Amino acid sequence: MTNSNTKVEVLAGMVFLCLCHVAYIAFVFFIPLFLEGFNILSDDNTYLVLIIWVIGISGIGIFQLLYAVPFYFHFRKKSHPELAKGVAIMAGLTLLLNGGCFIFLSI
């Protein structure tokens, strides 16, 4: 494989995981709305929506392991190691940025 194709494939893996992060954030945003639609959340639990959003967004560095690790192994198994590298790079960046922001906000 040529060097330019390698870079493009690594970048494609990074973009793929970014799109997974966007889908995760949309999922976290719509969970409380879904629960309210089925009357699972009552008026007494108004802070539960905020708690779900804060935990979901602040924990993306950890929760991403639920989808990043399987995608990594899937791409490695399907002989796309460069895509797997891109997924691993973006997962590491997300984890580091999330941890750094968490430490910054907790000071």
XYZ file of all heavy atoms in Angstrom:
842
model
N 0.850 -1.171 0.000
C 0.000 0.000 0.000
C 0.895 1.232 0.000
O 1.902 1.278 0.692
C -0.898 -0.027 1.238
C -1.971 1.021 1.204
S -3.108 0.937 2.609
C -3.886 -0.616 2.316
N 0.519 2.234 -0.746
C 1.341 3.436 -0.826
C 1.151 4.285 0.421
O 0.201 4.115 1.184
C 0.978 4.259 -2.070
O -0.372 4.708 -1.938
C 1.155 3.441 -3.326
N 2.069 5.219 0.593
C 2.058 6.063 1.772
C 0.826 6.960 1.810
O 0.247 7.177 2.865
C 3.338 6.889 1.812
C 3.535 7.562 3.148
O 2.949 7.179 4.143
N 4.371 8.579 3.168
N 0.390 7.496 0.674
C -0.770 8.382 0.657
C -2.052 7.603 0.965
O -2.944 8.108 1.641
C -0.887 9.100 -0.684
O -1.123 8.159 -1.719
N -2.151 6.363 0.481
C -3.322 5.551 0.795
C -3.358 5.210 2.280
O -4.432 5.120 2.873
C -3.334 4.264 -0.026
C -3.707 4.511 -1.470
O -4.246 5.557 -1.810
N -3.400 3.546 -2.309
N -2.202 5.001 2.860
C -2.127 4.706 4.290
C -2.640 5.884 5.105
O -3.440 5.712 6.016
C -0.678 4.395 4.688
O -0.225 3.285 3.919
C -0.572 4.068 6.152
N -2.195 7.080 4.747
C -2.645 8.274 5.463
C -4.140 8.490 5.310
O -4.826 8.852 6.273
C -1.887 9.505 4.971
C -0.442 9.518 5.375
C 0.260 10.738 4.825
C 1.734 10.720 5.173
N 2.445 11.862 4.598
N -4.645 8.256 4.110
C -6.076 8.432 3.861
C -6.884 7.419 4.667
O -7.931 7.743 5.236
C -6.389 8.313 2.346
C -7.882 8.217 2.096
C -5.786 9.485 1.596
N -6.389 6.200 4.753
C -7.112 5.173 5.487
C -7.079 5.440 6.993
O -8.077 5.220 7.683
C -6.537 3.790 5.172
C -7.574 2.711 5.259
C -7.110 1.400 4.652
O -6.245 1.412 3.756
O -7.618 0.374 5.092
N -5.965 5.923 7.515
C -5.902 6.291 8.933
C -6.863 7.444 9.207
O -7.611 7.433 10.192
C -4.458 6.658 9.343
C -4.425 7.297 10.724
C -3.569 5.436 9.313
N -6.873 8.434 8.315
C -7.791 9.563 8.464
C -9.243 9.099 8.378
O -10.103 9.592 9.115
C -7.499 10.618 7.398
C -8.275 11.920 7.511
C -7.946 12.624 8.820
C -7.969 12.821 6.334
N -9.520 8.135 7.514
C -10.878 7.602 7.407
C -11.301 6.915 8.703
O -12.457 7.040 9.133
C -10.969 6.623 6.244
N -10.387 6.217 9.351
C -10.696 5.600 10.639
C -10.977 6.643 11.704
O -11.871 6.470 12.538
N -10.221 7.743 11.673
C -10.448 8.816 12.637
C -11.800 9.494 12.405
O -12.537 9.760 13.359
C -9.307 9.834 12.555
C -7.972 9.268 12.999
S -6.595 10.382 12.711
C -6.859 11.572 14.001
N -12.128 9.740 11.151
C -13.418 10.352 10.826
C -14.559 9.406 11.201
O -15.593 9.835 11.714
C -13.475 10.737 9.334
C -14.873 11.116 8.902
C -12.499 11.865 9.045
N -14.365 8.113 10.964
C -15.381 7.127 11.321
C -15.684 7.173 12.813
O -16.848 7.180 13.220
C -14.911 5.727 10.916
C -15.826 4.632 11.358
C -17.013 4.403 10.694
C -15.497 3.843 12.440
C -17.865 3.403 11.102
C -16.334 2.836 12.863
C -17.530 2.616 12.193
N -14.649 7.232 13.641
C -14.884 7.277 15.085
C -15.491 8.611 15.505
O -16.305 8.653 16.424
C -13.611 6.996 15.869
C -13.861 6.615 17.324
C -14.645 5.317 17.413
C -12.587 6.492 18.093
N -15.147 9.698 14.824
C -15.795 10.985 15.107
C -17.291 10.902 14.831
O -18.105 11.426 15.605
C -15.176 12.100 14.271
S -13.626 12.705 14.897
N -17.664 10.250 13.748
C -19.087 10.071 13.444
C -19.758 9.178 14.485
O -20.928 9.406 14.837
C -19.262 9.503 12.038
C -18.848 10.434 10.901
C -18.952 9.713 9.563
C -19.704 11.685 10.900
N -19.036 8.208 14.989
C -19.569 7.373 16.081
C -19.785 8.215 17.332
O -20.772 8.026 18.051
C -18.635 6.214 16.375
S -18.594 4.948 15.107
N -18.873 9.153 17.600
C -19.033 10.042 18.751
C -20.264 10.929 18.581
O -21.006 11.157 19.546
C -17.800 10.920 18.942
C -16.579 10.199 19.404
N -16.603 9.025 20.105
C -15.266 10.512 19.265
C -15.385 8.638 20.386
N -14.539 9.533 19.876
N -20.491 11.421 17.380
C -21.675 12.249 17.124
C -22.946 11.432 17.349
O -23.914 11.911 17.958
C -21.630 12.830 15.692
C -22.951 13.465 15.308
C -20.494 13.832 15.569
N -22.954 10.189 16.881
C -24.112 9.321 17.101
C -24.302 9.045 18.593
O -25.437 9.016 19.086
C -23.935 8.007 16.335
N -23.215 8.864 19.326
C -23.299 8.641 20.775
C -23.898 9.854 21.481
O -24.763 9.718 22.346
C -21.911 8.326 21.334
C -21.860 8.338 22.843
C -22.332 7.261 23.575
C -21.358 9.440 23.536
C -22.295 7.270 24.959
C -21.319 9.460 24.909
C -21.791 8.369 25.618
O -21.765 8.394 26.987
N -23.435 11.048 21.113
C -23.951 12.268 21.742
C -25.436 12.438 21.431
O -26.225 12.805 22.304
C -23.122 13.488 21.314
C -21.725 13.392 21.931
C -23.789 14.789 21.713
C -20.731 14.389 21.392
N -25.841 12.152 20.193
C -27.261 12.216 19.847
C -28.054 11.198 20.658
O -29.153 11.490 21.146
C -27.444 11.975 18.353
N -27.501 10.005 20.841
C -28.163 8.964 21.626
C -28.338 9.412 23.075
O -29.414 9.266 23.659
C -27.341 7.671 21.550
C -27.884 6.544 22.365
C -29.032 5.879 21.967
C -27.239 6.144 23.522
C -29.539 4.835 22.723
C -27.726 5.100 24.271
C -28.884 4.446 23.878
N -27.288 9.991 23.659
C -27.360 10.467 25.043
C -28.366 11.600 25.165
O -29.102 11.689 26.147
C -25.967 10.909 25.547
C -26.049 11.703 26.834
C -25.074 9.705 25.736
N -28.432 12.459 24.162
C -29.370 13.574 24.200
C -30.815 13.090 24.133
O -31.687 13.635 24.807
C -29.081 14.535 23.042
C -30.028 15.697 23.004
C -29.909 16.735 23.910
C -31.045 15.752 22.075
C -30.780 17.807 23.883
C -31.922 16.813 22.030
C -31.792 17.852 22.946
N -31.083 12.048 23.328
C -32.462 11.618 23.136
C -32.951 10.583 24.144
O -34.145 10.292 24.178
C -32.657 11.084 21.710
C -32.701 12.170 20.693
C -31.701 12.290 19.750
C -33.722 13.098 20.687
C -31.723 13.296 18.817
C -33.762 14.116 19.757
C -32.754 14.220 18.813
N -32.082 10.021 24.974
C -32.529 9.052 25.989
C -33.576 9.663 26.923
O -34.642 9.074 27.114
C -31.339 8.492 26.795
C -30.557 7.483 25.981
C -31.817 7.813 28.075
C -29.310 6.986 26.684
N -33.328 10.836 27.524
C -34.355 11.397 28.411
C -35.656 11.731 27.680
O -36.733 11.562 28.238
C -33.711 12.663 28.977
C -32.264 12.470 28.800
C -32.106 11.630 27.576
N -35.550 12.180 26.444
C -36.764 12.482 25.685
C -37.557 11.212 25.402
O -38.789 11.210 25.452
C -36.394 13.190 24.380
C -35.608 14.490 24.534
C -35.248 15.053 23.176
C -36.381 15.495 25.346
N -36.848 10.133 25.129
C -37.489 8.837 24.912
C -38.171 8.356 26.195
O -39.300 7.860 26.169
C -36.432 7.830 24.450
C -36.943 6.444 24.240
C -37.697 6.136 23.124
C -36.667 5.452 25.169
C -38.168 4.848 22.928
C -37.124 4.163 24.981
C -37.884 3.868 23.854
N -37.497 8.519 27.333
C -38.073 8.090 28.605
C -39.283 8.926 28.985
O -40.252 8.407 29.543
C -37.012 8.158 29.708
C -35.830 7.200 29.567
C -34.827 7.440 30.677
C -36.294 5.764 29.553
N -39.256 10.214 28.673
C -40.410 11.061 28.945
C -41.588 10.684 28.064
O -42.733 10.747 28.490
C -40.059 12.534 28.726
C -39.316 13.153 29.866
C -39.097 14.636 29.663
O -39.899 15.275 28.951
O -38.115 15.149 30.220
N -41.322 10.285 26.835
C -42.393 9.895 25.921
C -43.156 8.675 26.395
O -44.348 8.535 26.120
N -42.488 7.784 27.114
C -43.143 6.597 27.652
C -43.537 6.770 29.113
O -43.824 5.803 29.797
C -42.231 5.371 27.508
C -42.164 4.873 26.105
C -41.049 5.137 25.324
C -43.208 4.154 25.553
C -40.976 4.687 24.029
C -43.142 3.702 24.261
C -42.031 3.964 23.485
N -43.525 8.014 29.590
C -43.909 8.370 30.957
C -43.102 7.619 32.011
O -43.606 7.303 33.089
C -45.408 8.144 31.185
C -46.234 9.107 30.369
O -45.830 10.244 30.160
N -47.379 8.652 29.897
N -41.867 7.297 31.699
C -40.991 6.668 32.680
C -40.451 7.733 33.628
O -40.289 7.491 34.814
C -39.847 5.902 31.989
C -40.448 4.744 31.176
C -38.827 5.395 32.977
C -39.462 4.010 30.311
N -40.207 8.927 33.074
C -39.772 10.040 33.910
C -40.995 10.831 34.338
O -41.793 11.256 33.518
C -38.822 10.967 33.141
C -37.461 10.406 32.774
C -36.676 11.436 31.976
C -36.694 10.005 34.002
N -41.155 11.036 35.622
C -42.276 11.831 36.114
C -41.820 13.267 36.328
O -40.648 13.607 36.137
C -42.809 11.233 37.422
O -41.813 11.293 38.417
N -42.750 14.103 36.751
C -42.397 15.498 37.009
C -41.472 15.645 38.204
O -40.780 16.640 38.346
C -43.669 16.322 37.235
C -44.500 16.436 35.976
O -43.910 16.351 34.884
O -45.722 16.620 36.082
N -41.457 14.650 39.074
C -40.576 14.703 40.238
C -39.121 14.473 39.867
O -38.227 14.804 40.633
C -40.998 13.652 41.269
C -42.407 13.892 41.770
O -42.852 15.055 41.729
O -43.050 12.919 42.193
N -38.865 13.905 38.712
C -37.502 13.557 38.294
C -36.960 14.520 37.240
O -36.317 14.100 36.298
C -37.470 12.136 37.736
C -37.842 11.102 38.760
O -37.735 11.343 39.952
N -38.290 9.956 38.312
N -37.200 15.813 37.419
C -36.747 16.760 36.401
C -35.229 16.849 36.335
O -34.673 17.125 35.277
C -37.322 18.158 36.670
O -36.994 18.537 38.001
C -38.820 18.171 36.480
N -34.548 16.610 37.450
C -33.092 16.670 37.446
C -32.474 15.406 36.859
O -31.289 15.395 36.549
C -32.553 16.904 38.855
C -32.787 18.309 39.327
C -33.674 18.575 40.359
C -32.125 19.373 38.733
C -33.893 19.870 40.783
C -32.341 20.666 39.143
C -33.223 20.910 40.173
O -33.435 22.190 40.578
N -33.260 14.361 36.716
C -32.734 13.126 36.152
C -32.289 13.321 34.707
O -31.293 12.742 34.274
C -33.774 12.008 36.248
C -33.322 10.623 35.836
C -32.153 10.173 36.695
C -34.456 9.639 35.947
N -33.004 14.162 33.969
C -32.619 14.459 32.587
C -31.241 15.105 32.559
O -30.365 14.701 31.788
C -33.665 15.387 31.926
C -33.194 15.852 30.562
C -35.013 14.699 31.833
N -31.027 16.061 33.418
C -29.732 16.743 33.484
C -28.627 15.787 33.922
O -27.520 15.816 33.385
C -29.821 17.935 34.436
C -28.590 18.820 34.539
C -28.256 19.435 33.198
C -28.793 19.885 35.586
N -28.935 14.919 34.864
C -27.939 13.954 35.337
C -27.537 13.010 34.209
O -26.353 12.710 34.020
C -28.479 13.178 36.552
C -28.565 14.106 37.760
C -27.610 11.979 36.869
C -29.309 13.518 38.939
N -28.514 12.527 33.442
C -28.213 11.634 32.314
C -27.331 12.343 31.300
O -26.355 11.773 30.800
C -29.512 11.123 31.668
C -30.233 10.162 32.618
C -29.227 10.432 30.341
C -31.607 9.758 32.153
N -27.637 13.598 30.987
C -26.840 14.338 30.010
C -25.425 14.585 30.511
O -24.455 14.405 29.774
C -27.505 15.657 29.665
C -28.695 15.524 28.765
C -29.027 14.448 27.999
C -29.706 16.498 28.554
N -30.188 14.699 27.323
C -30.633 15.948 27.641
C -29.935 17.772 29.040
C -31.753 16.635 27.199
C -31.053 18.457 28.599
C -31.943 17.898 27.691
N -25.275 14.986 31.758
C -23.947 15.296 32.288
C -23.084 14.044 32.363
O -21.921 14.040 31.947
C -24.060 15.981 33.677
C -22.716 16.029 34.375
C -24.632 17.373 33.521
N -23.642 12.958 32.878
C -22.871 11.716 32.963
C -22.538 11.194 31.579
O -21.423 10.741 31.316
C -23.630 10.660 33.791
C -23.650 11.071 35.260
C -22.986 9.280 33.636
C -24.503 10.188 36.131
N -23.492 11.257 30.664
C -23.260 10.757 29.310
C -22.198 11.521 28.557
O -21.312 10.934 27.932
N -22.240 12.846 28.641
C -21.280 13.661 27.904
C -19.925 13.673 28.604
O -18.878 13.573 27.955
C -21.813 15.098 27.720
C -23.093 15.078 26.892
C -20.774 15.989 27.062
C -22.951 14.447 25.527
N -19.909 13.767 29.931
C -18.620 13.814 30.623
C -17.930 12.460 30.631
O -16.714 12.386 30.795
C -18.797 14.313 32.057
O -19.552 13.386 32.810
N -18.668 11.393 30.421
C -18.071 10.073 30.429
C -17.808 9.491 29.058
O -17.611 8.282 28.934
N -17.783 10.336 28.022
C -17.594 9.812 26.664
C -16.245 9.114 26.518
O -16.117 8.143 25.769
C -17.756 10.917 25.601
C -17.807 10.307 24.203
C -16.654 11.944 25.701
C -18.188 11.270 23.125
N -15.246 9.545 27.272
C -13.928 8.907 27.191
C -13.968 7.449 27.608
O -13.273 6.608 27.042
N -14.803 7.138 28.598
C -14.929 5.757 29.068
C -15.970 4.999 28.252
O -15.753 3.852 27.854
C -15.291 5.737 30.565
C -14.205 6.421 31.394
C -15.537 4.316 31.052
C -12.840 5.785 31.298
N -17.122 5.638 27.993
C -18.194 4.957 27.270
C -17.826 4.646 25.820
O -18.413 3.753 25.214
C -19.490 5.765 27.308
C -20.141 5.791 28.656
C -20.438 6.989 29.278
C -20.463 4.617 29.308
C -21.042 7.021 30.518
C -21.057 4.626 30.548
C -21.351 5.842 31.158
N -16.855 5.384 25.264
C -16.454 5.101 23.888
C -15.831 3.721 23.749
O -15.792 3.157 22.666
C -15.496 6.159 23.378
C -14.097 5.997 23.916
C -13.088 6.866 23.245
O -13.314 7.343 22.142
N -11.971 7.083 23.894
N -15.344 3.179 24.859
C -14.753 1.841 24.807
C -15.783 0.793 24.399
O -15.421 -0.252 23.869
C -14.140 1.476 26.160
C -12.964 2.346 26.602
C -12.519 1.944 27.994
C -11.822 2.251 25.620
N -17.071 1.087 24.643
C -18.120 0.146 24.272
C -18.240 -0.027 22.758
O -18.700 -1.065 22.289
C -19.471 0.599 24.839
C -19.577 0.617 26.356
C -20.904 1.223 26.780
C -19.413 -0.778 26.913
N -17.863 0.994 22.004
C -17.952 0.870 20.546
C -16.611 0.998 19.836
O -16.443 0.475 18.740
C -18.967 1.864 19.956
C -18.757 3.316 20.308
C -17.940 4.129 19.545
C -19.401 3.878 21.399
C -17.764 5.456 19.860
C -19.237 5.209 21.721
C -18.421 5.989 20.949
O -18.253 7.314 21.262
N -15.622 1.640 20.423
C -14.333 1.811 19.749
C -13.526 0.514 19.732
O -12.924 0.171 18.711
C -13.531 2.929 20.408
N -13.505 -0.202 20.835
C -12.724 -1.443 20.906
C -13.270 -2.502 19.946
O -12.496 -3.127 19.206
C -12.643 -1.954 22.367
C -12.012 -3.326 22.428
C -11.869 -0.967 23.218
N -14.597 -2.729 19.901
C -15.091 -3.705 18.909
C -14.801 -3.298 17.458
O -14.478 -4.156 16.632
C -16.597 -3.759 19.165
C -16.760 -3.348 20.571
C -15.681 -2.339 20.821
N -14.905 -1.998 17.147
C -14.582 -1.562 15.792
C -13.102 -1.768 15.492
O -12.738 -2.150 14.375
C -14.956 -0.093 15.574
C -16.417 0.134 15.321
C -17.107 1.109 16.018
C -17.107 -0.626 14.398
C -18.441 1.325 15.797
C -18.444 -0.420 14.172
C -19.116 0.558 14.877
N -12.257 -1.507 16.476
C -10.819 -1.713 16.289
C -10.531 -3.173 15.922
O -9.844 -3.459 14.947
C -10.053 -1.308 17.558
C -8.587 -1.631 17.498
C -7.716 -0.807 16.809
C -8.068 -2.773 18.107
C -6.359 -1.096 16.739
C -6.730 -3.072 18.046
C -5.875 -2.233 17.360
O -4.547 -2.526 17.286
N -11.062 -4.100 16.713
C -10.807 -5.515 16.448
C -11.483 -5.983 15.156
O -10.960 -6.848 14.458
C -11.243 -6.381 17.632
C -10.301 -6.269 18.793
C -10.737 -5.776 20.009
C -8.978 -6.638 18.668
C -9.877 -5.670 21.081
C -8.105 -6.531 19.731
C -8.548 -6.041 20.939
N -12.623 -5.394 14.828
C -13.296 -5.750 13.574
C -12.436 -5.344 12.373
O -12.270 -6.126 11.428
C -14.668 -5.078 13.500
C -15.349 -5.252 12.189
N -15.927 -6.446 11.808
C -15.532 -4.401 11.147
C -16.439 -6.310 10.597
N -16.212 -5.075 10.181
N -11.907 -4.130 12.400
C -11.078 -3.673 11.283
C -9.771 -4.467 11.197
O -9.281 -4.740 10.107
C -10.790 -2.182 11.388
C -11.993 -1.312 11.128
C -12.227 -0.181 11.878
C -12.897 -1.631 10.128
C -13.325 0.624 11.637
C -13.998 -0.836 9.877
C -14.217 0.293 10.639
N -9.214 -4.827 12.344
C -8.002 -5.649 12.320
C -8.294 -7.033 11.734
O -7.495 -7.572 10.975
C -7.424 -5.812 13.734
C -6.928 -4.559 14.380
C -5.660 -4.091 13.794
N -4.581 -5.029 14.094
C -3.314 -4.741 13.943
N -2.966 -3.549 13.521
N -2.396 -5.625 14.214
N -9.434 -7.590 12.092
C -9.800 -8.920 11.609
C -10.088 -8.907 10.110
O -9.779 -9.864 9.406
C -11.032 -9.409 12.376
C -11.461 -10.805 12.030
C -12.666 -11.201 12.862
C -13.166 -12.574 12.469
N -14.396 -12.916 13.196
N -10.676 -7.833 9.621
C -11.018 -7.730 8.204
C -9.854 -7.211 7.367
O -10.053 -6.743 6.256
C -12.228 -6.800 8.017
C -13.498 -7.318 8.633
C -13.974 -8.546 7.916
C -15.275 -9.023 8.523
N -15.772 -10.221 7.890
N -8.658 -7.283 7.888
C -7.415 -6.864 7.228
C -7.442 -5.404 6.773
O -7.070 -5.091 5.652
C -7.061 -7.798 6.067
O -7.972 -7.663 5.003
N -7.904 -4.540 7.657
C -7.827 -3.087 7.461
C -7.075 -2.487 8.651
O -7.647 -1.751 9.452
C -9.225 -2.465 7.368
C -10.003 -2.883 6.179
N -9.682 -2.478 4.905
C -11.086 -3.684 6.056
C -10.539 -3.007 4.049
N -11.397 -3.757 4.727
N -5.787 -2.781 8.764
C -5.054 -2.309 9.949
C -4.923 -0.795 10.017
O -4.830 -0.237 11.106
C -3.691 -2.972 9.812
C -3.542 -3.251 8.361
C -4.930 -3.531 7.858
N -4.944 -0.129 8.877
C -4.815 1.333 8.897
C -6.085 1.980 9.432
O -6.021 2.981 10.154
C -4.480 1.859 7.490
C -3.245 1.240 6.876
C -2.018 1.371 7.745
O -1.840 2.399 8.410
O -1.213 0.422 7.769
N -7.252 1.443 9.085
C -8.497 1.938 9.669
C -8.491 1.719 11.178
O -8.933 2.572 11.942
C -9.716 1.226 9.054
C -10.231 1.752 7.727
C -11.310 0.844 7.185
C -10.747 3.152 7.876
N -7.988 0.558 11.596
C -7.910 0.258 13.025
C -6.986 1.243 13.731
O -7.277 1.680 14.852
C -7.437 -1.178 13.232
N -5.884 1.615 13.088
C -4.975 2.608 13.676
C -5.673 3.945 13.839
O -5.508 4.620 14.857
C -3.738 2.787 12.803
C -2.737 1.685 12.899
C -1.547 1.983 11.993
C -0.643 0.778 11.865
N 0.446 1.025 10.910
N -6.447 4.349 12.838
C -7.187 5.607 12.925
C -8.206 5.596 14.058
O -8.351 6.581 14.783
N -8.890 4.470 14.223
C -9.847 4.350 15.320
C -9.122 4.434 16.656
O -9.571 5.120 17.581
C -10.654 3.032 15.188
C -11.432 2.738 16.448
C -11.586 3.091 13.994
N -7.979 3.759 16.778
C -7.217 3.780 18.028
C -6.677 5.174 18.325
O -6.704 5.615 19.484
C -6.082 2.771 17.961
N -6.203 5.878 17.312
C -5.679 7.236 17.509
C -6.778 8.161 17.994
O -6.605 8.911 18.957
C -5.030 7.761 16.213
C -3.732 7.012 15.930
C -4.784 9.267 16.292
C -3.169 7.270 14.548
N -7.938 8.108 17.346
C -9.030 8.995 17.735
C -9.579 8.623 19.106
O -9.955 9.505 19.887
C -10.144 8.971 16.690
C -11.225 9.995 16.949
S -10.642 11.689 17.168
C -10.088 12.085 15.548
N -9.608 7.344 19.438
C -10.058 6.935 20.774
C -9.106 7.461 21.837
O -9.540 7.945 22.892
C -10.169 5.412 20.853
N -7.810 7.393 21.566
C -6.836 7.932 22.501
C -6.950 9.439 22.660
O -6.889 9.963 23.777
N -7.134 10.139 21.548
C -7.315 11.596 21.623
C -8.558 11.964 22.412
O -8.544 12.886 23.230
C -7.396 12.185 20.211
C -6.098 12.283 19.436
C -6.366 12.743 18.013
C -5.145 13.235 20.126
N -9.639 11.250 22.171
C -10.878 11.530 22.895
C -10.704 11.279 24.385
O -11.156 12.078 25.212
C -12.022 10.654 22.348
O -12.156 10.889 20.949
C -13.326 10.971 23.035
N -10.051 10.183 24.722
C -9.831 9.863 26.123
C -8.954 10.923 26.794
O -9.249 11.370 27.910
C -9.192 8.484 26.260
C -9.066 7.926 27.661
C -10.435 7.700 28.259
C -8.304 6.618 27.628
N -7.902 11.357 26.118
C -7.016 12.375 26.691
C -7.709 13.728 26.822
O -7.579 14.413 27.840
C -5.756 12.514 25.844
C -4.765 11.354 25.947
C -3.663 11.532 24.911
C -4.191 11.252 27.336
N -8.454 14.129 25.805
C -9.168 15.410 25.877
C -10.244 15.380 26.948
O -10.428 16.348 27.690
C -9.784 15.755 24.522
C -8.807 16.235 23.463
C -9.513 16.365 22.129
C -8.196 17.559 23.871
N -10.966 14.269 27.042
C -12.002 14.150 28.054
C -11.400 14.162 29.444
O -11.917 14.837 30.339
C -12.797 12.871 27.811
C -13.967 12.742 28.756
O -13.922 11.928 29.668
N -14.987 13.536 28.531
N -10.303 13.456 29.637
C -9.647 13.461 30.945
C -9.083 14.822 31.303
O -9.185 15.267 32.448
N -8.489 15.484 30.323
C -7.949 16.825 30.576
C -9.024 17.835 30.925
O -8.848 18.637 31.854
N -10.126 17.777 30.215
C -11.231 18.691 30.526
C -11.826 18.379 31.891
O -12.207 19.290 32.633
C -12.311 18.611 29.454
S -11.809 19.317 27.880
N -11.923 17.104 32.232
C -12.462 16.717 33.530
C -11.578 17.239 34.655
O -12.080 17.792 35.645
C -12.585 15.199 33.616
C -13.164 14.712 34.906
C -14.530 14.806 35.144
C -12.344 14.167 35.886
C -15.073 14.377 36.336
C -12.876 13.737 37.078
C -14.243 13.835 37.314
N -10.266 17.098 34.503
C -9.342 17.595 35.532
C -9.399 19.111 35.603
O -9.421 19.702 36.688
C -7.917 17.106 35.256
C -7.834 15.599 35.503
C -6.889 17.842 36.103
C -6.538 14.976 35.063
N -9.451 19.784 34.452
C -9.514 21.247 34.426
C -10.775 21.763 35.105
O -10.733 22.720 35.857
C -9.445 21.743 32.975
C -9.549 23.217 32.847
C -8.486 24.044 33.194
C -10.715 23.813 32.379
C -8.577 25.411 33.075
C -10.818 25.183 32.255
C -9.744 25.980 32.610
N -11.903 21.119 34.863
C -13.165 21.586 35.447
C -13.310 21.217 36.923
O -14.078 21.828 37.641
C -14.342 21.028 34.657
C -14.504 21.591 33.252
C -15.633 20.898 32.519
C -14.726 23.102 33.288
N -12.564 20.207 37.371
C -12.682 19.812 38.763
C -11.770 20.596 39.691
O -11.857 20.466 40.893
C -12.395 18.316 38.910
O -11.058 18.049 38.599
N -10.887 21.401 39.119
C -9.979 22.215 39.958
C -10.692 23.449 40.452
O -11.425 24.087 39.864
C -8.706 22.602 39.175
C -7.895 21.341 38.921
C -7.882 23.609 39.921
C -6.655 21.573 38.095
